[in-house]
Amino acid sequence: MSRWSELVRVHVVIDSCRQQPSFGLQDRQLRHKSAAAIRSDSRPLFSRQISNLAITALVPPRSAPKRLRNINKMLLIGLTGSIATGKSTVSRIFSSAPHSLPVVDADHLAHAVILPGTPAYTKILKAFLSTTPGLLHDPETDPNPSPIGPSINRKILGQLVFGTSEANKRDIKILNGIVHPAVRMAIFRSIVYYWLRGHWAIVLDIPLLFESRLDMFCGVTLLVGVSPELQLERLLKRDAHLTKEDGQKRIASQMALEKKKQLADVVVWNDGTKEELEQEIARFLERYRKGRGSFWTILLAGFWPLTATIMGWRIVGNWLKRKKKDERLNKKE
Ligand SMILES: CC(C)(COP(=O)(O)OP(=O)(O)OC[C@H]1O[C@@H](n2cnc3c(N)ncnc32)[C@H](O)[C@@H]1O)[C@@H](O)C(=O)NCCC(=O)NCCS
Ligand SMILES: Nc1ncnc2c1ncn2[C@@H]1O[C@H](COP(=O)(O)OP(=O)(O)OP(=O)(O)O)[C@@H](O)[C@H]1O
């Protein structure tokens, strides 16, 4: 098979994955996010796909749209924070005009990979069903009805795993061990998909970015922080079903914001208004957009081994940077 026809096949397969639950894009909010990014380019989808493939396969001409020339210099923005600090709010800013960036939302993917019929669903039932009453929704009131079976009640699962007791810690370890590999694979597929579409940056909204060490693959990590009182207040206002104790337990079960601050490249403080937050994000993007679309970008678009070497070099660099930070933090503790 020629390189050209192979590329066409790969892209068609990846595009069709958008309809599959494990890809995570069936979620209405996520579809809206990616639709916003796609809307920013008014050409028909087929024409965009063909031109992206052309750029991927050949050295792009100078006249190629800037978005496509950046294909090999794509920036992965690792967006993180603690529960209810404002990650989704920042994601919405990234995905709306004028930025219109694609956002990969790990929480949504984590929900998609445990839907009835998935391997993670079966493993969760095996691990927790016999000891957790109410783990499955009643078919009559199931918010995600499926012909395969009742869906998992995330509220009950959350009560089981979030907390500071030994049992909570054991259970969250088991749950993470089941869900995280599936989420990692879904994130990887999303990155490849958006990369082939030629976006200059992709936002990875991952609450456990540092815990799962996925920060190593990011060009920059952005932490959204908020003061502890406001965090609890916003959490309880948004998730009215949680008691104050539930909220405190969820906050306590995560890595301390102070520690995340030491690990992040950029910290955005979200104690102010949403308008102030929008301005902060615009400034952040302006800073990181600089330099994209350069001579190196165009050269790398046509020379994949060099691209792979540079990406590998960056990951090793990030790994070393993280190791140093961890050592410094361990000394302090
Ligand atoms: C326990 C579950 C079922 C609770 O679902 P629920 O809809 O009530 O909460 P939701 O998924 O929206 O999570 C809300 C927030 O809780 C925090 N959180 C979620 N999972 C974890 C975890 N394993 N460890 C620490 N904090 C977590 C995150 O800040 C997240 O944004 C769900 O969070 C889950 O399956 N978690 C395990 C997978 C995971 O780690 N997801 C996070 C992204 S990879
Ligand atoms: N600057 C702000 N001013 C007022 N309310 C805000 C602000 N930023 C976020 N919020 C509100 O706080 C709540 C939590 O924000 P958001 O859902 O974005 O947090 P999150 O970090 O994505 O949470 P989770 O980790 O649970 O997914 C939401 O109800 C949101 O509307």
Side-chain angles (χ1 to χ4, degrees), residues 137-161:
H137 277 291
D138 185 328
E140 299 291 306
T141 52
D142 196 334
N144 300 303
S146 157
I148 299 167
S151 68
I152 289 171
N153 186 334
R154 298 203 306 268
K155 191 180 155 203
I156 299 290
L157 191 53
Q159 281 166 357
L160 181 78
V161 299

PDB file of all heavy atoms in Angstrom, residues 137-161:
ATOM      1  N   HIS A 137     -27.276   1.152  39.037  1.00  0.00           N
ATOM      2  CA  HIS A 137     -28.525   1.911  39.009  1.00  0.00           C
ATOM      3  C   HIS A 137     -29.716   0.973  38.858  1.00  0.00           C
ATOM      4  O   HIS A 137     -29.614  -0.080  38.207  1.00  0.00           O
ATOM      5  CB  HIS A 137     -28.519   2.866  37.820  1.00  0.00           C
ATOM      6  CG  HIS A 137     -27.801   4.154  38.090  1.00  0.00           C
ATOM      7  ND1 HIS A 137     -28.285   5.102  38.951  1.00  0.00           N
ATOM      8  CD2 HIS A 137     -26.643   4.656  37.605  1.00  0.00           C
ATOM      9  CE1 HIS A 137     -27.455   6.136  38.984  1.00  0.00           C
ATOM     10  NE2 HIS A 137     -26.442   5.889  38.182  1.00  0.00           N
ATOM     11  N   ASP A 138     -30.840   1.393  39.439  1.00  0.00           N
ATOM     12  CA  ASP A 138     -32.095   0.693  39.215  1.00  0.00           C
ATOM     13  C   ASP A 138     -32.479   0.923  37.745  1.00  0.00           C
ATOM     14  O   ASP A 138     -32.483   2.082  37.299  1.00  0.00           O
ATOM     15  CB  ASP A 138     -33.135   1.328  40.164  1.00  0.00           C
ATOM     16  CG  ASP A 138     -34.456   0.603  40.121  1.00  0.00           C
ATOM     17  OD1 ASP A 138     -34.785   0.077  39.048  1.00  0.00           O
ATOM     18  OD2 ASP A 138     -35.146   0.580  41.156  1.00  0.00           O
ATOM     19  N   PRO A 139     -32.805  -0.136  36.962  1.00  0.00           N
ATOM     20  CA  PRO A 139     -33.123   0.051  35.536  1.00  0.00           C
ATOM     21  C   PRO A 139     -34.227   1.093  35.300  1.00  0.00           C
ATOM     22  O   PRO A 139     -34.219   1.792  34.296  1.00  0.00           O
ATOM     23  CB  PRO A 139     -33.566  -1.337  35.078  1.00  0.00           C
ATOM     24  CG  PRO A 139     -32.980  -2.273  36.069  1.00  0.00           C
ATOM     25  CD  PRO A 139     -32.838  -1.532  37.358  1.00  0.00           C
ATOM     26  N   GLU A 140     -35.137   1.240  36.268  1.00  0.00           N
ATOM     27  CA  GLU A 140     -36.251   2.200  36.103  1.00  0.00           C
ATOM     28  C   GLU A 140     -35.763   3.652  36.114  1.00  0.00           C
ATOM     29  O   GLU A 140     -36.317   4.498  35.423  1.00  0.00           O
ATOM     30  CB  GLU A 140     -37.261   2.042  37.269  1.00  0.00           C
ATOM     31  CG  GLU A 140     -37.900   0.676  37.355  1.00  0.00           C
ATOM     32  CD  GLU A 140     -38.855   0.427  36.203  1.00  0.00           C
ATOM     33  OE1 GLU A 140     -39.747   1.264  36.030  1.00  0.00           O
ATOM     34  OE2 GLU A 140     -38.682  -0.577  35.480  1.00  0.00           O
ATOM     35  N   THR A 141     -34.719   3.912  36.924  1.00  0.00           N
ATOM     36  CA  THR A 141     -34.282   5.306  37.105  1.00  0.00           C
ATOM     37  C   THR A 141     -32.873   5.541  36.566  1.00  0.00           C
ATOM     38  O   THR A 141     -32.255   6.568  36.861  1.00  0.00           O
ATOM     39  CB  THR A 141     -34.306   5.671  38.609  1.00  0.00           C
ATOM     40  OG1 THR A 141     -33.565   4.657  39.309  1.00  0.00           O
ATOM     41  CG2 THR A 141     -35.713   5.783  39.155  1.00  0.00           C
ATOM     42  N   ASP A 142     -32.376   4.591  35.780  1.00  0.00           N
ATOM     43  CA  ASP A 142     -30.994   4.678  35.270  1.00  0.00           C
ATOM     44  C   ASP A 142     -30.822   5.907  34.350  1.00  0.00           C
ATOM     45  O   ASP A 142     -31.518   6.012  33.337  1.00  0.00           O
ATOM     46  CB  ASP A 142     -30.678   3.394  34.479  1.00  0.00           C
ATOM     47  CG  ASP A 142     -29.188   3.218  34.257  1.00  0.00           C
ATOM     48  OD1 ASP A 142     -28.482   4.247  34.245  1.00  0.00           O
ATOM     49  OD2 ASP A 142     -28.741   2.062  34.089  1.00  0.00           O
ATOM     50  N   PRO A 143     -29.889   6.841  34.683  1.00  0.00           N
ATOM     51  CA  PRO A 143     -29.722   8.014  33.814  1.00  0.00           C
ATOM     52  C   PRO A 143     -29.025   7.677  32.491  1.00  0.00           C
ATOM     53  O   PRO A 143     -29.097   8.448  31.540  1.00  0.00           O
ATOM     54  CB  PRO A 143     -28.840   8.960  34.646  1.00  0.00           C
ATOM     55  CG  PRO A 143     -28.150   8.087  35.633  1.00  0.00           C
ATOM     56  CD  PRO A 143     -29.015   6.891  35.863  1.00  0.00           C
ATOM     57  N   ASN A 144     -28.325   6.543  32.430  1.00  0.00           N
ATOM     58  CA  ASN A 144     -27.667   6.103  31.181  1.00  0.00           C
ATOM     59  C   ASN A 144     -28.180   4.727  30.779  1.00  0.00           C
ATOM     60  O   ASN A 144     -27.433   3.751  30.794  1.00  0.00           O
ATOM     61  CB  ASN A 144     -26.137   6.016  31.362  1.00  0.00           C
ATOM     62  CG  ASN A 144     -25.529   7.332  31.733  1.00  0.00           C
ATOM     63  OD1 ASN A 144     -25.682   8.315  31.018  1.00  0.00           O
ATOM     64  ND2 ASN A 144     -24.850   7.376  32.876  1.00  0.00           N
ATOM     65  N   PRO A 145     -29.481   4.603  30.425  1.00  0.00           N
ATOM     66  CA  PRO A 145     -30.017   3.264  30.137  1.00  0.00           C
ATOM     67  C   PRO A 145     -29.308   2.614  28.960  1.00  0.00           C
ATOM     68  O   PRO A 145     -28.957   3.293  27.989  1.00  0.00           O
ATOM     69  CB  PRO A 145     -31.493   3.530  29.804  1.00  0.00           C
ATOM     70  CG  PRO A 145     -31.620   4.987  29.578  1.00  0.00           C
ATOM     71  CD  PRO A 145     -30.455   5.668  30.192  1.00  0.00           C
ATOM     72  N   SER A 146     -29.036   1.325  29.107  1.00  0.00           N
ATOM     73  CA  SER A 146     -28.326   0.604  28.050  1.00  0.00           C
ATOM     74  C   SER A 146     -28.942  -0.781  27.919  1.00  0.00           C
ATOM     75  O   SER A 146     -29.320  -1.392  28.934  1.00  0.00           O
ATOM     76  CB  SER A 146     -26.848   0.502  28.431  1.00  0.00           C
ATOM     77  OG  SER A 146     -26.247  -0.577  27.754  1.00  0.00           O
ATOM     78  N   PRO A 147     -29.041  -1.307  26.687  1.00  0.00           N
ATOM     79  CA  PRO A 147     -29.602  -2.656  26.538  1.00  0.00           C
ATOM     80  C   PRO A 147     -28.669  -3.715  27.134  1.00  0.00           C
ATOM     81  O   PRO A 147     -29.091  -4.848  27.407  1.00  0.00           O
ATOM     82  CB  PRO A 147     -29.726  -2.816  25.015  1.00  0.00           C
ATOM     83  CG  PRO A 147     -28.851  -1.767  24.421  1.00  0.00           C
ATOM     84  CD  PRO A 147     -28.708  -0.673  25.417  1.00  0.00           C
ATOM     85  N   ILE A 148     -27.402  -3.337  27.360  1.00  0.00           N
ATOM     86  CA  ILE A 148     -26.425  -4.333  27.848  1.00  0.00           C
ATOM     87  C   ILE A 148     -26.607  -4.613  29.341  1.00  0.00           C
ATOM     88  O   ILE A 148     -26.432  -5.728  29.812  1.00  0.00           O
ATOM     89  CB  ILE A 148     -24.982  -3.864  27.550  1.00  0.00           C
ATOM     90  CG1 ILE A 148     -24.824  -3.712  26.046  1.00  0.00           C
ATOM     91  CG2 ILE A 148     -23.942  -4.841  28.095  1.00  0.00           C
ATOM     92  CD1 ILE A 148     -23.594  -2.982  25.620  1.00  0.00           C
ATOM     93  N   GLY A 149     -26.988  -3.562  30.097  1.00  0.00           N
ATOM     94  CA  GLY A 149     -27.148  -3.760  31.535  1.00  0.00           C
ATOM     95  C   GLY A 149     -27.232  -2.428  32.249  1.00  0.00           C
ATOM     96  O   GLY A 149     -27.024  -1.377  31.632  1.00  0.00           O
ATOM     97  N   PRO A 150     -27.524  -2.464  33.564  1.00  0.00           N
ATOM     98  CA  PRO A 150     -27.622  -1.208  34.311  1.00  0.00           C
ATOM     99  C   PRO A 150     -26.250  -0.541  34.444  1.00  0.00           C
ATOM    100  O   PRO A 150     -25.234  -1.235  34.545  1.00  0.00           O
ATOM    101  CB  PRO A 150     -28.142  -1.651  35.685  1.00  0.00           C
ATOM    102  CG  PRO A 150     -27.851  -3.096  35.773  1.00  0.00           C
ATOM    103  CD  PRO A 150     -27.769  -3.658  34.395  1.00  0.00           C
ATOM    104  N   SER A 151     -26.235   0.795  34.447  1.00  0.00           N
ATOM    105  CA  SER A 151     -24.938   1.483  34.542  1.00  0.00           C
ATOM    106  C   SER A 151     -24.505   1.609  35.997  1.00  0.00           C
ATOM    107  O   SER A 151     -25.305   1.422  36.925  1.00  0.00           O
ATOM    108  CB  SER A 151     -25.018   2.852  33.869  1.00  0.00           C
ATOM    109  OG  SER A 151     -25.858   3.695  34.607  1.00  0.00           O
ATOM    110  N   ILE A 152     -23.225   1.935  36.169  1.00  0.00           N
ATOM    111  CA  ILE A 152     -22.657   2.059  37.523  1.00  0.00           C
ATOM    112  C   ILE A 152     -23.108   3.379  38.134  1.00  0.00           C
ATOM    113  O   ILE A 152     -23.077   4.422  37.472  1.00  0.00           O
ATOM    114  CB  ILE A 152     -21.114   1.970  37.446  1.00  0.00           C
ATOM    115  CG1 ILE A 152     -20.706   0.538  37.103  1.00  0.00           C
ATOM    116  CG2 ILE A 152     -20.456   2.431  38.751  1.00  0.00           C
ATOM    117  CD1 ILE A 152     -19.258   0.334  36.776  1.00  0.00           C
ATOM    118  N   ASN A 153     -23.525   3.327  39.408  1.00  0.00           N
ATOM    119  CA  ASN A 153     -23.924   4.541  40.119  1.00  0.00           C
ATOM    120  C   ASN A 153     -22.647   5.209  40.638  1.00  0.00           C
ATOM    121  O   ASN A 153     -22.060   4.769  41.633  1.00  0.00           O
ATOM    122  CB  ASN A 153     -24.873   4.168  41.270  1.00  0.00           C
ATOM    123  CG  ASN A 153     -25.446   5.387  41.949  1.00  0.00           C
ATOM    124  OD1 ASN A 153     -24.836   6.458  41.936  1.00  0.00           O
ATOM    125  ND2 ASN A 153     -26.623   5.233  42.520  1.00  0.00           N
ATOM    126  N   ARG A 154     -22.232   6.279  39.960  1.00  0.00           N
ATOM    127  CA  ARG A 154     -20.942   6.908  40.303  1.00  0.00           C
ATOM    128  C   ARG A 154     -20.973   7.565  41.676  1.00  0.00           C
ATOM    129  O   ARG A 154     -19.949   7.681  42.333  1.00  0.00           O
ATOM    130  CB  ARG A 154     -20.541   7.918  39.219  1.00  0.00           C
ATOM    131  CG  ARG A 154     -20.323   7.292  37.842  1.00  0.00           C
ATOM    132  CD  ARG A 154     -19.415   8.170  37.001  1.00  0.00           C
ATOM    133  NE  ARG A 154     -19.892   9.525  36.925  1.00  0.00           N
ATOM    134  CZ  ARG A 154     -20.695   9.996  35.970  1.00  0.00           C
ATOM    135  NH1 ARG A 154     -21.100   9.206  34.997  1.00  0.00           N
ATOM    136  NH2 ARG A 154     -21.086  11.258  35.980  1.00  0.00           N
ATOM    137  N   LYS A 155     -22.175   7.989  42.095  1.00  0.00           N
ATOM    138  CA  LYS A 155     -22.272   8.626  43.417  1.00  0.00           C
ATOM    139  C   LYS A 155     -21.885   7.599  44.505  1.00  0.00           C
ATOM    140  O   LYS A 155     -21.100   7.877  45.409  1.00  0.00           O
ATOM    141  CB  LYS A 155     -23.710   9.130  43.610  1.00  0.00           C
ATOM    142  CG  LYS A 155     -23.867  10.009  44.795  1.00  0.00           C
ATOM    143  CD  LYS A 155     -25.307  10.477  44.935  1.00  0.00           C
ATOM    144  CE  LYS A 155     -25.565  10.802  46.392  1.00  0.00           C
ATOM    145  NZ  LYS A 155     -26.951  10.755  46.761  1.00  0.00           N
ATOM    146  N   ILE A 156     -22.442   6.381  44.357  1.00  0.00           N
ATOM    147  CA  ILE A 156     -22.153   5.320  45.339  1.00  0.00           C
ATOM    148  C   ILE A 156     -20.675   4.926  45.265  1.00  0.00           C
ATOM    149  O   ILE A 156     -19.994   4.779  46.280  1.00  0.00           O
ATOM    150  CB  ILE A 156     -23.060   4.085  45.081  1.00  0.00           C
ATOM    151  CG1 ILE A 156     -24.538   4.457  45.213  1.00  0.00           C
ATOM    152  CG2 ILE A 156     -22.688   2.908  45.970  1.00  0.00           C
ATOM    153  CD1 ILE A 156     -25.007   4.766  46.626  1.00  0.00           C
ATOM    154  N   LEU A 157     -20.166   4.806  44.042  1.00  0.00           N
ATOM    155  CA  LEU A 157     -18.751   4.430  43.885  1.00  0.00           C
ATOM    156  C   LEU A 157     -17.843   5.511  44.483  1.00  0.00           C
ATOM    157  O   LEU A 157     -16.846   5.202  45.139  1.00  0.00           O
ATOM    158  CB  LEU A 157     -18.447   4.218  42.387  1.00  0.00           C
ATOM    159  CG  LEU A 157     -17.119   3.568  42.027  1.00  0.00           C
ATOM    160  CD1 LEU A 157     -16.915   2.250  42.755  1.00  0.00           C
ATOM    161  CD2 LEU A 157     -17.035   3.322  40.506  1.00  0.00           C
ATOM    162  N   GLY A 158     -18.242   6.781  44.276  1.00  0.00           N
ATOM    163  CA  GLY A 158     -17.477   7.903  44.842  1.00  0.00           C
ATOM    164  C   GLY A 158     -17.447   7.821  46.360  1.00  0.00           C
ATOM    165  O   GLY A 158     -16.403   8.031  46.987  1.00  0.00           O
ATOM    166  N   GLN A 159     -18.617   7.507  46.961  1.00  0.00           N
ATOM    167  CA  GLN A 159     -18.664   7.418  48.435  1.00  0.00           C
ATOM    168  C   GLN A 159     -17.767   6.300  48.946  1.00  0.00           C
ATOM    169  O   GLN A 159     -17.191   6.387  50.023  1.00  0.00           O
ATOM    170  CB  GLN A 159     -20.102   7.172  48.900  1.00  0.00           C
ATOM    171  CG  GLN A 159     -20.927   8.453  48.902  1.00  0.00           C
ATOM    172  CD  GLN A 159     -22.421   8.191  49.024  1.00  0.00           C
ATOM    173  OE1 GLN A 159     -22.871   7.036  49.049  1.00  0.00           O
ATOM    174  NE2 GLN A 159     -23.193   9.255  49.090  1.00  0.00           N
ATOM    175  N   LEU A 160     -17.627   5.249  48.117  1.00  0.00           N
ATOM    176  CA  LEU A 160     -16.810   4.108  48.532  1.00  0.00           C
ATOM    177  C   LEU A 160     -15.311   4.446  48.504  1.00  0.00           C
ATOM    178  O   LEU A 160     -14.557   4.077  49.400  1.00  0.00           O
ATOM    179  CB  LEU A 160     -17.088   2.935  47.582  1.00  0.00           C
ATOM    180  CG  LEU A 160     -16.349   1.645  47.852  1.00  0.00           C
ATOM    181  CD1 LEU A 160     -17.017   0.916  49.017  1.00  0.00           C
ATOM    182  CD2 LEU A 160     -16.359   0.735  46.618  1.00  0.00           C
ATOM    183  N   VAL A 161     -14.895   5.196  47.449  1.00  0.00           N
ATOM    184  CA  VAL A 161     -13.444   5.345  47.235  1.00  0.00           C
ATOM    185  C   VAL A 161     -12.855   6.667  47.721  1.00  0.00           C
ATOM    186  O   VAL A 161     -11.648   6.747  47.961  1.00  0.00           O
ATOM    187  CB  VAL A 161     -13.068   5.159  45.744  1.00  0.00           C
ATOM    188  CG1 VAL A 161     -13.443   3.791  45.248  1.00  0.00           C
ATOM    189  CG2 VAL A 161     -13.667   6.254  44.856  1.00  0.00           C
TER     190      VAL A 161
END
